[in-house]
Amino acid sequence: MTRSTFLFAPLLCAAIAHGADIDRDYPIKPVPFTSVHVNDQFWAPRIETNRTVSIPTAFDHCERTGRVENFVRAAEAIRGQNVADKHPPGYPFDDTDIYKVIEGASYTLSVHPDPKLDAYVDSLIAKIAAAQEPDGYLYTTRSIDPQHPHPWAGNERWVNEEVLSHELYNLGHLYEAAVAHYQATGKRNLLDVATKSANLLVATFGPDKRKIYPGHQIVEMGLVKLYRVTGNEQYLSLAKFMLDCRTGGRAYNQADIPVTQQTEAEGHAVRAGYMYSGMADVAALTKDAAYVNAIDEIWNNVVDKKLYITGGIGSTGVGEAFGANYELPNMTAYNETCAAVANDFWNQRLFLLHGDAKYVDVFERTLYNGLLSGVSLDGKTYFYPNPLESNGQHKRSAWFGVACCPGNITRFMPSIPGYVYAQQEDTVFVNLYMANSADIDLGGGRKLNLVQETKYPWNGDIRIAVNPATAGNFTLKLRIPGWARGQAVPGSLYRFEKAEPAAVKLSVNGQEQELAVDHGYATLARDWKKGDIVELSLPMPIRRVRANDEVLADRGRVALQRGPLVYAAEWVDSPDKHVRNLLLSDTNALKAEFRPHLLNGVEVIEGRAEAYRYNAGHQLEHSAEQFTAIPYYAWANRGPGQMEVWIADTESAVHATPYPTLAMRSKVTSSGSTVTDNGVKDPRFVADSEEPASSADTSSFYDWRPRKGTAEWIQYDFDKPEQVSSSDVYWFAETEGEVKAPASWRLLYKDGEQWKPVQTADAYKVALDGYNEVTFKPVRTTALRLELQLQPNASAGIEEWRVR
């Protein structure tokens, strides 16, 4: 048996070898990605871009940001050499960025041999191996300087693991990379590092040893993969032990109550998704029904109350976490790219446990929308959060200080072919539709080749040539997506305005088949011979989607969907470069049209909409204009600006464009930065006339992070001299965080080349959750400046600054 024959889905199940029990596992197995050769016009170019652009640039960023050098410095310290730079890594989890990209590179090497890449990965592995301590411990921030590691690391091994050290999180990604590399190349150089480390964990933790649970889950998944490769039962037992230790901690990392008692998704969304995936793996291998019951209940909670229409999870940036039930804001939606990856891991595992297409429906929704939006079309930049509304403050970045998302994209993209098919004995599930050729082992020496032809996701016509090596009886199960059956998502969170099913048609060799759908699948059980043709037609009408009325942010609004794709209106396509001011009436006819030269080729939705704005007399007016929507995944590839997924269809929900105020007409500059990890940091947001909900409103603001305790300023420059006499400031401050109201502030006006304080008897207040007004002796000036002194050890920010 070759290594590639035991590859299931690379991010899901590793090889079963060396005694691992193949009978106690998921009842359904993915067809390995190495057996599915995608050749379509949608995914094949993206997978190639990941290989030729994303992976090389990610490795380059790891080199340039010192992540590779951390291993070199750790190795020098272990050898007793004098380490010139003992400064700890920026974060204790920086090691994982290299592991994740190695994992992605390994999947690429499995299907596209590249001697240069292979040699480079080996050079990285040599540096990683040299940084491993003699007993197997691997954690560069401690090895570089054991006396002064990163503050999160703790003074001793493992003491801060349940909080912030990320020692086990690092190892989880190491184990996944090691298994991927071994399966791709047959080399044990990284696998030996991983097993040496895992053996240390087995010797340290367990029922009669030390108890521990990971502060950031993923080591559970990694240990299961090591078990599958090595057959070492201790790795599987340790994964379960660490899950069972989770109690008495914080809801933030799902450790407040035992995992089997959890019924709602809570806390940090990425941690949660990884934990639910690890629970599924352990449940499949140990037949623990309590684990399955728990993740089933949690899944119901997510799809009924906490899932975005794009498949994103984790609604709040506070803790990068799930919010309360139905708490699904749009502009401040967090929806971390890593959380989308974790959500797909979890849904794939639930499908393998239960064989129900509803999990694949959620997987597909996430894949085509909330996950794919995480990377630019050229493969060079990434989103960390993926909001559903923007006023121009969101922009992809080439890299991040916390760079988890690029690495997750690089490892997920090459694995996509492994999610297309699955099998249970002689039953083959067709889960995703993309042009490909797949070679499937039906067991008992029977071989099957499937050739799928389609222009999905733009067109729902699918043709599958069924080519068994020898004629015989087996079963094909073709997923009929929920969107084709009139169902927006499983559960009650979203519904199509017109929910009637599309006229799905299924035929074999030109003979129409009765469409009996069970658990989301149309079943074809028959004697097959080479050259049999299955044709499936999934009509793709434009659907208007409505949210459950409990979702306050989406009341009076509709989203647009066609096939698996959710659409968004973007500023570039609007005549006045605004889209948040649009009203899309139910009576407005919409049509779809493919534009081959737009955004690498997309199907757009077109029609007419009403654009609302205030005139100089503060009266509301509106006029009809051309409306265009693009697939959500493609937004922000043409520069920052307004974007909206949920479009008003009632006048009360419209965000009318304000008439330009003096502040809006001004040039805004500040002493602070204009770029953040998560997008554009533009001081103009303080002059956008967006009314804050509170001082903690993160939808539109400006702050001076990372500066603390300093003197800062922001100013308005007018295009001509203006008379001003009052100013209102609405401070931005985090409920929990480093941004607070300033210690003090004042206003100055420009007189010639000098800045002079305004004359006022008013106090300069720093009250939160409201405007702080200052009236002053009228001045005629070309500029107004606000100077502020930040509190010690705190930054400051502004929601809105009005002048009159």
Side-chain angles (χ1 to χ4, degrees):
M1 184 183 292
T2 65
R3 286 184 307 280
S4 63
T5 59
F6 11 99
L7 278 162
F8 289 162
L11 300 185
L12 174 63
C13 305
I16 294 181
H18 306 298
D21 188 351
I22 194 168
D23 292 323
R24 55 165 198 177
D25 206 329
Y26 287 101
I28 302 171
K29 310 293 191 296
V31 173
F33 79 105
T34 50
S35 298
V36 182
H37 313 288
V38 173
N39 51 33
D40 71 343
Q41 295 302 306
F42 190 88
W43 287 113
R46 286 168 169 79
I47 294 170
E48 181 65 4
T49 295
N50 187 73
R51 183 185 76 85
T52 60
V53 178
S54 300
I55 288 174
T57 56
F59 274 138
D60 182 60
H61 283 296
C62 286
E63 295 275 7
R64 291 193 288 110
T65 58
R67 284 163 167 80
V68 174
E69 186 64 20
N70 290 338
F71 289 93
V72 175
R73 293 193 293 142
E76 290 173 347
I78 290 169
R79 292 194 297 266
Q81 296 176 231
N82 182 34
V83 181
D85 179 9
K86 290 190 175 183
H87 191 272
Y91 291 98
F93 45 73
D94 283 353
D95 296 356
T96 66
D97 298 323
I98 296 176
Y99 300 153
K100 281 180 279 191
V101 187
I102 287 176
E103 184 180 351
S106 298
Y107 298 146
T108 296
L109 289 170
S110 296
V111 295
H112 197 292
D114 182 336
K116 183 177 178 181
L117 178 62
D118 190 16
Y120 176 71
V121 169
D122 277 345
S123 74
L124 292 177
I125 292 172
K127 293 173 181 175
I128 293 168
Q132 187 171 36
E133 297 188 17
D135 66 350
Y137 188 73
L138 181 54
Y139 186 59
T140 64
T141 188
R142 194 180 310 282
S143 298
I144 289 169
D145 186 355
Q147 302 304 313
H148 304 94
H150 191 281
W152 294 0
N155 294 327
E156 299 176 6
R157 293 181 181 182
W158 320 118
V159 295
N160 268 12
E161 170 54 38
E162 294 179 357
V163 186
L164 282 173
S165 76
H166 291 81
E167 288 155 284
L168 294 176
Y169 171 75
N170 289 8
L171 297 180
H173 279 297
L174 168 68
Y175 300 165
E176 294 205 315
V179 170
H181 183 259
Y182 168 68
Q183 292 174 324
T185 67
K187 302 174 187 176
R188 295 189 58 93
N189 45 353
L190 191 56
L191 184 63
D192 287 343
V193 172
T195 55
K196 185 176 181 180
S197 162
N199 291 339
L200 172 65
L201 298 188
V202 168
T204 306
F205 306 110
D208 299 319
K209 304 165 192 171
R210 187 170 178 172
K211 289 187 175 182
I212 199 168
Y213 60 80
H216 192 313
Q217 301 89 314
I218 202 173
V219 72
E220 305 90 339
M221 298 163 66
L223 284 166
V224 169
K225 286 190 175 183
L226 282 182
Y227 159 69
R228 292 180 186 280
V229 165
T230 65
N232 188 334
E233 290 272 354
Q234 296 177 101
Y235 299 158
L236 175 61
S237 297
L238 183 57
K240 188 175 190 307
F241 174 79
M242 289 180 172
L243 285 166
D244 290 340
C245 282
R246 303 193 80 83
T247 189
R250 299 187 298 163
Y252 167 73
N253 59 2
Q254 301 80 39
D256 51 336
I257 58 177
V259 296
T260 55
Q261 296 176 24
Q262 296 184 26
T263 58
E264 291 194 15
E266 62 179 4
H268 190 271
V270 181
R271 285 171 163 87
Y274 286 166
M275 185 181 84
Y276 306 151
S277 299
M279 289 173 67
D281 282 346
V282 172
L285 290 162
T286 65
K287 304 308 178 188
D288 191 315
Y291 275 26
V292 177
N293 291 337
I295 56 179
D296 284 350
E297 283 293 314
I298 294 167
W299 186 86
N300 288 332
N301 173 246
V302 170
V303 298
D304 279 336
K305 299 172 182 177
K306 296 185 178 181
L307 180 74
Y308 277 91
I309 190 65
T310 57
I313 56 173
S315 64
T316 174
V318 179
E320 301 176 329
F322 288 101
N325 290 337
Y326 304 111
E327 183 187 350
L328 296 167
N330 292 313
M331 190 177 293
T332 61
Y334 205 71
N335 286 345
E336 185 178 338
T337 297
C338 290
V341 171
N343 196 26
D344 270 355
F345 287 170
W346 179 30
N347 276 279
Q348 169 75 342
R349 286 161 166 79
L350 288 173
F351 159 72
L352 297 176
L353 281 171
H354 299 304
D356 196 312
K358 65 184 181 181
Y359 305 111
V360 187
D361 285 348
V362 176
F363 179 99
E364 180 183 64
R365 176 172 297 278
T366 304
L367 175 65
Y368 277 95
N369 300 290
L371 192 158
L372 189 54
S373 62
V375 60
S376 61
L377 296 177
D378 63 7
K380 296 179 180 178
T381 57
Y382 306 87
F383 271 139
Y384 200 110
N386 292 270
L388 279 74
E389 181 180 11
S390 181
N391 202 25
Q393 70 270 47
H394 302 98
K395 181 182 179 181
R396 292 183 183 87
S397 298
W399 198 247
F400 306 96
V402 178
C404 48
C405 297
N408 256 336
I409 288 290
T410 64
R411 73 187 184 122
F412 191 88
M413 292 297 284
S415 77
I416 288 172
Y419 297 101
V420 177
Y421 302 103
Q423 66 184 111
Q424 185 174 25
E425 298 177 346
D426 63 354
T427 295
V428 176
F429 295 81
V430 184
N431 281 335
L432 299 180
Y433 297 110
M434 59 187 73
N436 69 83
S437 174
D439 297 306
I440 301 171
D441 186 349
L442 295 175
R446 295 188 299 164
K447 306 292 184 182
L448 171 65
N449 170 257
L450 296 178
V451 178
Q452 190 180 144
E453 297 177 9
T454 181
K455 293 181 179 179
Y456 200 92
W458 312 124
N459 184 294
D461 293 334
I462 299 117
R463 183 181 188 273
I464 302 174
V466 183
N467 298 310
T470 56
N473 187 280
F474 55 90
T475 300
L476 291 182
K477 285 183 172 287
L478 287 82
R479 182 176 67 96
I480 309 301
W483 56 258
R485 293 181 281 112
Q487 183 186 60
V489 295
S492 59
L493 189 53
Y494 304 106
R495 63 179 174 82
F496 290 143
E497 192 170 71
K498 296 180 179 179
E500 67 274 8
V504 176
K505 293 183 179 180
L506 176 65
S507 68
V508 177
N509 297 330
Q511 297 295 312
E512 190 165 343
Q513 305 292 303
E514 180 182 355
L515 195 69
V517 179
D518 181 36
H519 291 88
Y521 289 96
T523 301
L524 297 174
R526 54 178 283 147
D527 289 322
W528 298 91
K529 64 182 185 305
K530 187 174 182 179
D532 283 342
I533 302 296
V534 174
E535 291 179 293
L536 176 65
S537 177
L538 302 172
M540 293 183 170
I542 297 168
R543 301 277 198 175
R544 295 173 188 254
V545 186
R546 292 200 178 273
N548 187 304
D549 202 47
E550 295 289 336
V551 183
L552 299 181
D554 299 337
R555 286 184 182 175
R557 298 178 177 275
V558 294
L560 299 178
Q561 181 174 337
R562 184 178 182 275
L565 297 173
V566 173
Y567 278 71
E570 191 177 23
W571 68 278
V572 189
D573 305 307
S574 171
D576 67 355
K577 307 309 176 189
H578 293 86
V579 296
R580 298 175 64 226
N581 65 335
L582 297 179
L583 186 149
L584 190 64
S585 169
D586 292 348
T587 61
N588 288 56
L590 299 172
K591 67 175 183 177
E593 178 182 286
F594 189 75
R595 294 187 184 176
H597 303 298
L598 177 65
L599 298 166
N600 291 351
V602 292
E603 193 98 17
V604 301
I605 293 175
E606 295 180 307
R608 303 287 288 177
E610 291 291 313
Y612 283 69
R613 63 191 66 83
Y614 286 99
N615 60 27
H618 303 290
Q619 296 172 317
L620 188 62
E621 59 185 24
H622 59 89
S623 59
E625 67 174 40
Q626 177 66 26
F627 171 80
T628 302
I630 62 170
Y632 170 78
Y633 75 77
W635 85 279
N637 280 282
R638 297 175 289 177
Q642 289 193 359
M643 179 277 294
E644 192 153 54
V645 169
W646 288 98
I647 303 163
D649 74 338
T650 59
E651 195 168 274
S652 61
V654 172
H655 190 284
T657 302
Y659 188 79
T661 64
L662 177 57
M664 293 173 69
R665 299 195 307 269
S666 302
K667 176 184 178 183
V668 191
T669 55
S670 85
S671 57
S673 169
T674 58
V675 177
T676 71
D677 268 359
N678 297 337
V680 178
K681 187 175 178 180
D682 195 330
R684 290 179 299 174
F685 296 140
V686 307
D688 60 10
S689 291
E690 294 281 332
E691 284 299 312
S694 71
S695 286
D697 189 341
T698 58
S699 59
S700 181
F701 68 96
Y702 179 79
D703 67 48
W704 278 267
R705 282 179 290 190
R707 300 179 186 179
K708 300 177 182 179
T710 54
E712 305 295 342
W713 57 265
I714 188 168
Q715 75 182 53
Y716 288 158
D717 287 280
F718 312 135
D719 56 5
K720 63 180 176 33
E722 298 280 357
Q723 180 167 300
V724 291
S725 60
S726 71
S727 175
D728 305 322
V729 183
Y730 201 120
W731 300 110
F732 169 70
E734 295 177 308
T735 305
E736 297 179 12
E738 60 189 13
V739 182
K740 308 294 182 184
S744 61
W745 65 287
R746 65 173 184 162
L747 289 170
L748 302 95
Y749 70 97
K750 197 168 190 180
D751 184 6
E753 295 302 316
Q754 293 184 323
W755 288 101
K756 296 182 178 180
V758 300
Q759 296 181 32
T760 180
D762 293 347
Y764 286 103
K765 298 178 181 179
V766 291
L768 299 179
D769 299 326
Y771 284 97
N772 295 267
E773 182 180 8
V774 172
T775 59
F776 50 87
K777 182 179 178 180
V779 296
R780 192 167 185 81
T781 182
T782 59
L784 198 66
R785 173 176 284 194
L786 187 158
E787 291 184 346
L788 62 162
Q789 175 63 46
L790 311 188
Q791 293 188 44
N793 301 314
S795 190
I798 296 175
E799 294 273 5
E800 198 71 17
W801 178 26
R802 304 186 305 204
V803 297
R804 292 181 298 279

